[in-house]
Amino acid sequence: MNGAGRTGGVEGVAMFLGDGPAADGSPWRPLTPFSMEPPHLLTDVTATAPDDVWVVGQAQGGPLALHWDGGSWSMPPGPAPSAAFIGAGLEGVAACRTQADGSGTTVLAVGGAYDRLLGTEVPLIRHWNGLGWEDVTAPALPGGPDTARDYVLTGVAMVGPAEAWAVGHGFGARAPLVVLHWHDGRWQAAEGPSGVPQGKLLAVSGTSPQDVWAVGATGREGLIAHFDGASWRRIPAPATRSPLTDVTAVAPDDVWCAGGGSVLHWNGRKWSRVKAPIESANTVTAFSSTDVWVGGARGDLTHYDGRRWTWVPAPDHLRDTAVWRASTTTNARPGEPTVWMVGSRRFDKAATPARKGITAQHGEP
C-alpha cells in the first residue's frame, strides 16, 4: 500500500458485468473512471442500489472513500488523518438502507494505521453522517491498554439497520482475534473464538444478528468462525494452505468463503471444498448457490451456475494485471447492475493508462 516506485505505480481498479460480451470478449464493463493520480488502492466495496455504491482503500498514504451515484464518482468530505499516522487506510466498508423508501443509508468504514507517536498500530472507524465522514473512537480491547491500540480492523458487515460486526487482529504470536460489535450507535469489544494461536480475522459477513461468519487465518492456514447470537466459536473446515480472505453469507445454509487456492461452501451442516478454475481466489460474492462469482490475482474471474464453473475473462487492459480484493451484490431491477468488484494493479509509468481507477459491476446473469 505504499504506492508508486521509480518505474511504475499502483492504481485502484474495479468493474461491472453487462448484458452481453464486449468487443474484447469480456462481459465486465468499466464504469466512468474517477479522476485521481496514483498511487491508490481499492480494498473493499459495498452497494445498497445501482446508484449507491461505496468503495474504500488508500490514496497517497491516507484513507480513501468514494461514492458512485449511478453516473459519476465523488469523494465525500472526511477528516484528515492524524499527522502521526503512517500508512493509514480503510480496509472494509458496509452500508445498509435504514428507511423503507430508501431515503436513509448507514455506512461504516474500518481500517488502521501506524501511530509513530505511540509506536504501535491503531484502528480506524469512520461513520457516514449523510453529509460527510466522521471519525469514531474505537473501543479498547479487554485486558489491554485503556485506549484503542495494538490492533487494526480489516472487515465490517452490517446485519441490520443499527447493528454491525467488525473484525481484525493484533500483532505477535499471542495477539487476540479482534471482534467488535456495533449496536444502537455504540461500538464494543466482544469476545471472539478462543484457543486460536497466531490468529487473524480478515473478513466478515452475516444474514442476521444470529448468523454471522468471519474468516481469516491461524498461522498460515485458513480459519472460520461463527456467531450464533450468543457466542463466537471456531467451526471445523477443510484445511487450506493460505488464509481465507473473503466470505459471503447468502442464507444460513448457503455461505461461501475463499482465499489462496481454496473456495469453500457451507450447506448448513458442514464446510466442503469446492473445485473452482482459479489459482488465487481472493474474493467471493453470491446471490445463491447457483449464482456465485470468485475473483483472484492476475485478473482471474470465474462464475458458478449451480452445475459448473466457467472462467470469465476480465477486460483486456486488466487481464494478467489486476488483483481483485473485494466484491459485493445488491438487489436490482432486471438489466441493472447487481455485482461490483474492486482491486488494484501495478502499471509501468512509461505506459501510464488513461483510465485512473476502474470500477465494474455485473448485471442479471
Side-chain angles (χ1 to χ4, degrees):
M1 299 178 66
N2 292 326
R6 294 191 342 182
T7 60
V10 180
E11 66 172 359
V13 295
M15 314 180 295
F16 85 89
L17 188 58
D19 293 332
D24 61 3
S26 174
W28 291 87
R29 304 284 198 275
L31 292 176
T32 302
F34 53 84
S35 179
M36 181 182 299
E37 288 299 320
H40 49 76
L41 304 174
L42 301 182
T43 52
D44 202 10
V45 57
T46 187
T48 67
D51 59 355
D52 187 31
V53 184
W54 298 82
V55 299
V56 298
Q58 185 191 66
Q60 309 297 331
L64 171 66
L66 299 164
H67 181 253
W68 171 257
D69 64 5
S72 63
W73 288 104
S74 63
M75 187 181 299
S82 167
F85 288 175
I86 298 175
L90 296 172
E91 290 288 328
V93 63
C96 180
R97 288 290 172 96
T98 56
Q99 304 294 332
D101 62 1
S103 60
T105 303
T106 296
V107 190
L108 310 174
V110 301
Y114 180 82
D115 189 320
R116 57 187 172 186
L117 295 182
L118 295 176
T120 186
E121 304 282 343
V122 294
L124 298 179
I125 301 179
R126 289 188 170 183
H127 289 196
W128 172 251
N129 65 14
L131 298 175
W133 291 98
E134 296 178 337
D135 278 330
V136 176
T137 301
L141 298 182
D146 57 5
T147 58
R149 56 185 294 181
D150 302 333
Y151 74 94
V152 296
L153 297 170
T154 52
V156 61
M158 296 200 66
V159 293
E163 188 164 0
W165 288 91
V167 298
H169 60 85
F171 298 86
R174 297 185 178 181
L177 296 172
V178 176
V179 180
L180 305 184
H181 185 215
W182 182 71
H183 185 60
D184 292 336
R186 183 183 179 189
W187 285 98
Q188 290 183 303
E191 184 176 350
S194 60
V196 181
Q198 298 179 311
K200 296 182 178 182
L201 292 176
L202 302 174
V204 59
S205 179
T207 65
S208 74
Q210 292 77 42
D211 181 38
V212 187
W213 292 90
V215 301
T218 173
R220 297 182 179 180
E221 298 181 355
L223 168 68
I224 300 178
H226 182 255
F227 181 73
D228 60 5
S231 63
W232 284 91
R233 66 186 181 95
R234 184 177 179 179
I235 304 298
T240 66
R241 296 181 180 179
S242 303
L244 294 168
T245 53
D246 200 13
V247 59
T248 184
V250 183
D253 61 352
D254 188 14
V255 185
W256 299 80
C257 66
S262 300
V263 177
L264 306 180
H265 180 244
W266 170 260
N267 64 5
R269 300 181 304 276
K270 66 177 182 177
W271 283 95
S272 301
R273 190 181 304 278
V274 177
K275 292 183 178 180
I278 188 167
E279 293 184 7
S280 176
N282 295 332
T283 182
V284 59
T285 192
F287 290 103
S288 68
S289 58
T290 61
D291 189 3
V292 184
W293 281 93
V294 177
R298 296 180 296 279
D300 283 350
L301 298 162
T302 186
H303 180 256
Y304 181 64
D305 64 5
R307 295 171 299 177
R308 65 181 182 274
W309 290 89
T310 303
W311 181 83
V312 179
D316 277 343
H317 61 289
L318 297 179
R319 295 177 193 176
D320 300 322
T321 63
V323 177
W324 302 117
R325 284 282 308 271
S327 53
T328 192
T329 63
T330 187
N331 293 328
R333 293 184 296 272
E336 290 186 335
T338 54
V339 181
W340 288 259
M341 194 165 292
V342 303
S344 303
R345 71 160 180 158
R346 288 194 173 275
F347 64 89
D348 186 343
K349 279 188 175 180
T352 300
R355 294 174 176 172
K356 297 288 194 299
I358 303 166
T359 300
Q361 58 208 40
H362 171 258
E364 294 287 327

